Amino acid sequence: MKPTPSHLAYVPFVSVENMMRLVNATGPERFMAELAGYIEEDFKRWPEFDKTPRVASHSQDGVIELMPTADSENYGFKYVNGHPKNMREGYQTVTAFGVLSSVANGYPILFTEMTVLTALRTAATSALVGKYLAPKGAEVMAMIGNGAQCEFQALAFRAICGINRLRLYDIDPAATEKAARNLIAQGFEVVKCASGNEAVEGAQVITTCTADKQYATILTDNMVGAGVHINAIGGDCPGKTELHKDILLRSDIFVEYPPQTRIEGEIQQLPEDHPVIELWQVMRGELPARRDAKQITLFDSVGFAIEDFSALRYVHDRIKGTDYFAPLDMLADPDDPRDLFGMVMRAA
Amino acid sequence: MKPTPSHLAYVPFVSVENMMRLVNATGPERFMAELAGYIEEDFKRWPEFDKTPRVASHSQDGVIELMPTADSENYGFKYVNGHPKNMREGYQTVTAFGVLSSVANGYPILFTEMTVLTALRTAATSALVGKYLAPKGAEVMAMIGNGAQCEFQALAFRAICGINRLRLYDIDPAATEKAARNLIAQGFEVVKCASGNEAVEGAQVITTCTADKQYATILTDNMVGAGVHINAIGGDCPGKTELHKDILLRSDIFVEYPPQTRIEGEIQQLPEDHPVIELWQVMRGELPARRDAKQITLFDSVGFAIEDFSALRYVHDRIKGTDYFAPLDMLADPDDPRDLFGMVMRAA
């Protein structure tokens, strides 16, 4: 007699195809705006989370990381790799998947692709931070680095901050062409630029999002004028930064989780006691956001586990009652929990 | 136009049903003997691994852990929970799943259930260690705690150490009945015992495998005679031990990975500098296994990530060319890796 797994054995699985269906049915801008709401909600209850820096396994060509976090109800983690050379070989630089579980019994309640979802949550986080830090009335964003993250950033900043004019630059003109094509189709006003210097002209927000795993200088000090908000996405692992140190010294630096950002972010260039401002305190109103029109604000984004947790919560809520998932037989569920062996034998 | 994911997007998934098919097609004893060979191979190249203690998230009712490790070729991790109260509510105390990836590009190459697989690798490891430490000619094993792990231990010790006579005891007689029924069906000579004292009579190997998350004394000092090998499975998280401290002081203690065992194993009862013997050095022949017929040897088992890595390697090798897996669409794979956004839009 072959046992039929009970409902306890099944975990809802959101494949890449189903994630894309969900995003398209929702619309990417609404998806990211709603997701930003979940992220903001979780940042505002920051002290409730069990936080730990990500667990990274570095190799010559890249890194594989596990990013766990939990509140009293749910546990979530993301698996994510970062391999800059992948793109040249036809693979994604970053792929990811994740799991949300019940803290009460340890059982997974959602297993989902997170390559697409990470792009969405990264952009949603940037734009959420932009809502607090971008100068009033910002309309123009420079985007340096026009890879896989670029369009998501643009849409999120439009949905959440109202930015509709983009100035694009990438060392690879084909990347800029690709991003411009996609973004014009989305109704943006796009200027393709021949240099980073040209891109930042007249921009109130500067997004840097390049992929090389090395100390780079995407922005030099002279490129950053007073009053700008810098959204620095690409400096996100040890040895990888994008901004000249002098920019950091002129900026107020906002971070997700200091113990992780000091290792992985732009501020790895600074002494360990350099002051930073924690975004959860800004969102709770405990610390000021942008103070004045001259201040240079910098979001030193590295991506923190709580953002993935919010994304897992959002997807878990969104798929209820839909067919954007398939049940996956990934948990053993014997009739008698002590009789795992009997279950295996009876399956013969 | 709806894109069809390329082969890069698919990861082989071994469901619980397929794992059971694989185990039954192989035979559980051959499966564990072969798996023990993989574990031994990996213990013998211990210094090659990137090791870290597991990342645990503790809550009132249990723990959720991630156990990563890597060599230069593969990265593996296991998700596993431990919730002693689950059994009373019809859930498994322990459920698990795991992933094996390529270090070169970070892409997963296997996603598998590991609830059944963990039971098999835990037993395979115990019996492998038993091969080095059990007294010569051992025939009788006492098994205290007759839960989900019990039968796997018995079969592994028969396959690897030749033990065919079992003395079972559990505080719950129904657990002993269940284990006895299963093990008699597997051809073992089984004695059901009314106490731990009775179970250890004449046993050369004592396996303790209970599930309570608390300091317990399953074995008292007087129960352990000269020459015995103790296979202590259940003491595997902070605050959970099974043996009286005096037994530890009379034993030579063999462990997997001292930084983890000192936190989670029986030796959490001892000072941090109490000497322990690392099993990988024993398997490499750098340190002696059992020295004489009077020595009490203790395997203070907590379960280490490398054993899961070996199990993932074994399953990955075994499913090649079979139908014991299904391809899972869990990785985004755009035609142009930089055009993740375009892939999402074209899926509409």
Side-chain angles (χ1 to χ4, degrees), chain A residues 7 28 42 76 94 96 106 115 118 123 135 168 170-171 193 204 224 226 236 261 270 295 310 313 336 340:
Chain A
H7 70 283
D42 287 340
V94 172
T115 310
T118 294
L168 308 182
D170 195 290
I171 47 168
C193 302
Q204 293 95 30
V224 177
D236 63 355
T261 311
L270 299 181
Q295 182 188 15
S310 310
R313 278 207 306 123
D336 174 356
L340 190 63

Side-chain angles (χ1 to χ4, degrees), chain A residues 85-104:
Chain A
K85 76 164 182 52
N86 272 8
M87 209 181 63
R88 293 190 295 276
E89 297 166 9
Y91 294 89
Q92 282 288 112
T93 300
V94 172
T95 66
F97 60 88
V99 169
L100 191 69
S101 299
S102 156
V103 164

Side-chain angles (χ1 to χ4, degrees), chain B residues 267-282:
Chain B
I267 57 171
Q268 64 187 284
Q269 303 180 67
L270 299 181
E272 279 195 19
D273 58 353
H274 189 90
V276 295
I277 301 156
E278 295 191 49
L279 283 160
W280 67 273
Q281 294 185 287
V282 174

Side-chain angles (χ1 to χ4, degrees), chain B residues 124-310:
Chain B
T125 303
S126 281
L128 170 64
V129 172
K131 186 177 80 168
Y132 288 90
L133 298 181
K136 291 271 171 292
E139 290 183 344
V140 181
M141 177 157 73
M143 307 196 75
I144 301 179
N146 303 145
Q149 174 63 199
C150 175
E151 297 92 333
F152 297 99
Q153 287 280 338
L155 283 171
F157 270 88
R158 183 166 70 184
I160 295 167
C161 305
I163 285 178
N164 199 40
R165 294 166 61 195
L166 305 173
R167 300 178 66 81
L168 308 183
Y169 171 68
D170 196 290
I171 47 168
D172 179 358
T176 302
E177 283 301 328
K178 176 269 312 181
R181 192 171 57 242
N182 284 332
L183 289 166
I184 289 165
Q186 294 292 321
F188 284 93
E189 183 185 321
V190 172
V191 179
K192 292 179 277 186
C193 301
S195 68
N197 267 310
E198 190 186 333
V200 301
E201 275 173 29
Q204 292 95 32
V205 176
I206 301 173
T207 290
T208 58
C209 189
T210 62
D212 267 333
K213 190 183 178 181
Q214 60 189 17
Y215 291 108
T217 307
I218 308 302
L219 287 185
T220 52
D221 194 31
N222 65 307
M223 291 165 74
V224 178
V228 159
H229 173 60
I230 304 170
N231 174 39
I233 305 301
D236 62 357
C237 66
K240 179 163 177 260
T241 59
E242 293 181 319
L243 309 187
H244 192 282
K245 186 179 161 182
D246 289 348
I247 300 171
L248 308 183
L249 299 175
R250 290 163 59 209
S251 305
D252 287 314
I253 302 172
F254 296 78
V255 303
E256 292 144 313
Y257 184 55
Q260 185 176 309
T261 311
R262 291 197 190 276
I263 295 168
E264 302 177 352
E266 297 298 330
I267 57 171
Q268 64 187 284
Q269 303 180 67
L270 299 181
E272 279 195 19
D273 58 353
H274 189 90
V276 295
I277 301 156
E278 295 191 49
L279 283 160
W280 67 273
Q281 294 185 287
V282 174
M283 293 186 197
R284 280 158 74 111
E286 296 169 5
L287 290 174
R290 171 169 285 275
R291 286 190 321 268
D292 61 58
K294 298 232 160 171
Q295 182 189 15
I296 299 173
T297 54
L298 166 63
F299 173 31
D300 188 359
S301 160
V302 296
F304 188 58
I306 291 177
E307 296 147 30
D308 299 308
F309 183 91
S310 310

